[in-house]
Amino acid sequence: MEKRPKKSNHLSPAVRTFFNRGAIVYFAVGVAALFLLCALCAGWLTPYDPNKNVIAEAVQGPSMKHIFGTDEFGRDVLTRLIYGSRISLASSLMACGFAAISGMLLGLLSGYYEGAVGRVILRYVDLQLSIPPLLFTIIIGMFLGKGLTGLIIALGFGLIPSFVRLMHSQVLAIKNSDFITALRLGNIGDWQIIFNHLLPNTLAPMITMFAMNLGTTVMLESTISFLGIGIQQPTASWGNMVADGEKFLFTSPLLCILPGVCVVLLTVAFNIIGDSLADALDPRLRGKL
Amino acid sequence: MNNYGTYIVKKAGDAIFSIFLISVAVFLLVHLMPGDPVRAMLGYEADEAAVQAARETLHLNDPLIKQYFIWAGNFLKGDFGQSLVLKTDIFQTIATRIPVSLSITLPAFVISTVIGIVVGTISATHRGSFADQSLTVFVTAFGGVPDFWIGIMLMFIFSVKLGILPAMGYVSPWEDMGGYLKHAALPVLVLTITSFAWIGRQMRTCMLDVLNQDYIRTARANGLPASLVHYKHGMRNTLIPVVTLLVLQVRSLVGGSLLIKQVFSIAGMGRLIYTSVASNDYLTIQALTMIIAVFVIACNLLLDLSYGFMDPRIRARGKRS
């Protein structure tokens, strides 16, 4: 029987490059997976209600009953950290998803139709970039009101320019390629070219941008919640936990330190994953880093 | 007019048009807010006569286009009106806050730029080495620390535990230099730590891009010493992206300092932004957003003009590539 040629695995060089940085990448993937697990299984991981006040147990130090102690309302800190991961992950994933879809669409249109459409889109992006991201997110948040949905849209809006700019430059780079010219000559419609041919060829840098923005969004969400404009009490968010814990910095510093550590761990994990993805998906950087 | 002259005129025209568009957006801010903006500013219990008087003062009963021209005309004269919440002149309030903010952000900008460029360059030129790995970990870790949290932690260490620096407050350098240095040390340190990590990361990427170019390989193949290749041919060609990222950093510092001012209770621009947002003081938010946007657009214009000096190709073409 004729031996069938072994199917080559196109993913392996990229996967190898992804893990090229060694232990630090495994650590980052592990941390992200751990928080994802916490967010998905929060109800099973802890017996406590994150929002239920037990004033008799207020501001207690670590014990067997409450591993990280309790806050000013007697709520279990570990439980609130676990539930806080839901807010951080949901807001960052959904805000980045919203920004990626809107930004890619606008970038595709501005790159493909360079004329008036392109100019209007790029002008909008330039205008948005002239306002600092945090201030812009806060102003959009004022329109949309406090709460998770408003926060996600406000965060997403702030990220749109980076996706538009990247997609625009990617489309400009490949829209004059021979295969796109051939498709045009073959009377293939604009929308079909944009979605079936341009989009798949520009996805790799978009995935990298998505991963890199996840860390930024985790940090921005905690910042806005810290300022008291984002997620409101009693819902647990790492940002509002730091704000509440600051009052007890002299007596129970853990209340302030632990939620901050969670923000740092998740942000750093996403940044490392983003960097490794950038290396893995960029053929020039495949190899030793 | 030569090509560079045309380039300058085009870029200046673009900047003015951008300022016009952003002024329209900022002006509409008050009108697009949900609910009655005057009631939001005065409080929902304010009596009807006060609300009507405020509407008259703000020309809110006039047609929208007339309102815009009155507002834009006043803005150009530096008259931002009276804050309905703080009951003070907005121009005066902002004028007293800007020097406070600059005395914190400027030193942080200079220190973080110098450290960031050195760290990024070493990381790129010694790629894969232990130094690069350590610097990358360091830069990545500090890039992931929110500035408000690092502020609180440094306050905890240096003020609560060690008791060597004041936890909060501000002293003007013109009044007492020693007091200023003590009070500004922590906020400047926080802004420096968070900014230099970002600059270092971008510098490493820019430098790696340049070092991967063919002409660098050719220079090496011709036997030029590594230091000459890296620091003369390599660094010179990172000038445009580095200047670009420094201008972006100015934009971040304007907004990023918001948190630091909040944590250390410094009455700068950041704290003014926070209190205006928290108290629905739309008129102050309008003025602040407009001033920051004009500042950033002016920085971008200077950046575009500097491209012409740095890259002869841009000068020759009369437009940015």
Side-chain angles (χ1 to χ4, degrees), chain B residues 181-245:
Chain B
L181 290 175
K182 270 188 177 176
H183 283 85
L186 284 182
V188 169
L189 182 62
V190 175
L191 283 178
T192 303
I193 288 174
T194 47
S195 307
F196 105 81
W198 188 79
I199 295 176
R201 210 172 131 136
Q202 300 295 324
M203 183 66 199
R204 180 181 182 270
T205 312
C206 296
M207 194 74 181
L208 276 179
D209 269 348
V210 170
L211 295 181
N212 278 330
Q213 300 288 324
D214 289 340
Y215 69 86
I216 294 286
R217 198 176 305 122
T218 310
R220 277 189 188 136
N222 279 332
L224 285 182
S227 58
L228 194 68
V229 175
H230 290 157
Y231 301 114
K232 189 177 173 202
H233 300 282
M235 274 196 89
R236 186 178 285 181
N237 283 289
T238 57
L239 205 57
I240 285 189
V242 167
V243 171
T244 308
L245 73 92

Side-chain angles (χ1 to χ4, degrees), chain B residues 7 17-18 20 37 41 51 57-58 67 83 90 108 153-154 182 197 208 219 226 229 231 234 239 263 267 304 310:
Chain B
Y7 175 72
F17 186 56
S18 294
F20 163 70
M41 285 187 275
V51 172
T57 316
L58 297 173
Q67 283 183 47
S83 160
I90 298 173
M153 289 304 104
L154 289 177
K182 270 188 177 176
L208 276 179
V229 175
Y231 301 114
L239 205 57
V263 172
D304 279 334
M310 290 185 290

Side-chain angles (χ1 to χ4, degrees), chain A residues 3 6 22 28 62 119 127 150 153 163 180 198 229 282 286:
Chain A
K3 200 176 174 183
K6 196 180 168 188
R119 277 202 298 275
L127 288 181
I153 298 173
F163 284 98
I180 297 289
L198 281 178
I229 302 165
D282 183 348
R286 267 183 208 159

Side-chain angles (χ1 to χ4, degrees), chain A residues 24 123 127 129-130 132 134 138-139 142-143 219 223 226-227 249-250 256-257 260 263-264 267 275 288-289, chain B residues 14 18 21-22 29 32 127 133 137 143-144 146 148-149 152-153 160 201 251 259 274 277 282 292-293 296:
Chain A
I24 193 165
R123 174 68 70 179
L127 288 181
L129 287 175
S130 61
L134 183 59
I138 289 172
I139 291 174
M142 281 174 74
F143 278 103
M219 209 150 71
T223 301
F226 170 79
L227 284 174
L249 194 60
F250 291 81
C256 191
I257 294 173
V263 176
V264 174
T267 309
D275 279 347
K288 195 178 131 195
L289 255 182
Chain B
D14 268 1
S18 294
L21 290 180
I22 209 125
L29 187 76
L32 295 176
R127 194 174 159 199
Q133 299 269 357
V137 171
F148 67 88
W149 189 71
I152 295 171
M153 289 304 104
V160 180
R201 210 172 131 136
R251 187 173 69 105
L259 271 301
Y274 174 75
V277 170
Y282 296 145
I292 291 171
V296 173

Side-chain angles (χ1 to χ4, degrees), chain A:
Chain A
M1 198 174 125
E2 197 184 332
K3 200 176 174 183
R4 292 174 78 183
K6 196 180 168 188
K7 202 176 173 182
S8 67
N9 183 357
H10 293 287
L11 268 180
S12 54
V15 173
R16 267 203 308 274
T17 313
F18 180 81
F19 288 103
N20 230 359
R21 289 172 196 234
I24 193 165
V25 186
Y26 292 102
F27 165 77
V29 173
V31 167
L34 179 72
F35 280 120
L36 188 64
L37 186 77
C38 286
L40 291 175
C41 310
W44 295 323
L45 292 175
T46 166
Y48 301 107
D49 181 336
N51 303 329
K52 192 179 171 191
N53 296 353
V54 188
I55 300 299
E57 293 183 5
V59 200
Q60 287 186 355
S63 63
M64 287 308 286
K65 194 177 171 194
H66 301 287
I67 296 171
F68 291 144
T70 59
D71 68 4
E72 59 182 313
F73 299 107
R75 300 172 296 197
D76 183 60
V77 172
L78 178 61
T79 302
R80 287 180 66 75
L81 288 175
I82 290 173
Y83 277 87
S85 67
R86 276 191 175 174
I87 297 289
S88 288
L89 280 168
S91 57
S92 57
L93 286 170
M94 289 166 87
C96 283
F98 169 69
I101 293 169
S102 324
M104 281 162 68
L105 193 64
L106 290 172
L108 278 168
L109 293 176
S110 67
Y112 193 76
Y113 301 106
E114 276 181 87
V117 177
R119 277 202 298 275
V120 169
I121 293 172
L122 291 182
R123 174 68 70 179
Y124 164 74
V125 167
D126 284 344
L127 288 181
Q128 184 176 326
L129 287 175
S130 61
I131 300 174
L134 183 59
L135 178 60
F136 182 83
T137 310
I138 289 172
I139 291 174
I140 295 289
M142 281 174 74
F143 278 103
L144 300 169
K146 292 167 179 173
L148 187 59
T149 314
L151 181 67
I152 288 169
I153 298 173
L155 289 169
F157 256 108
L159 296 174
I160 288 176
S162 52
F163 284 98
V164 177
R165 285 231 163 141
L166 184 62
M167 182 53 109
H168 178 84
S169 61
Q170 291 294 316
V171 173
L172 285 187
I174 61 167
K175 71 179 264 198
N176 293 323
S177 314
D178 290 344
F179 79 99
I180 297 289
T181 312
L183 289 166
R184 279 193 186 133
L185 290 173
N187 255 350
I188 306 291
D190 281 356
W191 290 104
Q192 224 175 330
I193 293 177
I194 289 174
F195 289 107
N196 292 351
H197 302 280
L198 281 178
L199 184 61
N201 280 293
T202 52
L203 271 183
M206 291 298 139
I207 293 169
T208 307
M209 175 66 89
F210 181 87
M212 287 182 152
N213 273 325
L214 282 176
T216 312
T217 322
V218 170
M219 209 150 71
L220 207 52
E221 181 278 316
S222 65
T223 301
I224 289 172
S225 296
F226 170 79
L227 284 174
I229 302 165
I231 300 298
Q232 302 294 303
Q233 290 283 7
T235 308
S237 139
W238 294 337
N240 67 26
M241 287 176 75
V242 173
D244 287 343
E246 199 186 352
K247 288 176 278 189
F248 301 95
L249 194 60
F250 291 81
T251 49
S252 301
L254 272 185
L255 290 177
C256 191
I257 294 173
L258 289 173
V261 169
C262 290
V263 176
V264 174
L265 280 175
L266 190 57
T267 309
V268 170
F270 279 146
N271 284 348
I272 294 169
I273 292 172
D275 279 347
S276 302
L277 262 180
D279 295 346
L281 297 174
D282 183 348
R284 288 175 308 160
L285 289 177
R286 267 183 208 159
K288 195 178 131 195
L289 255 182

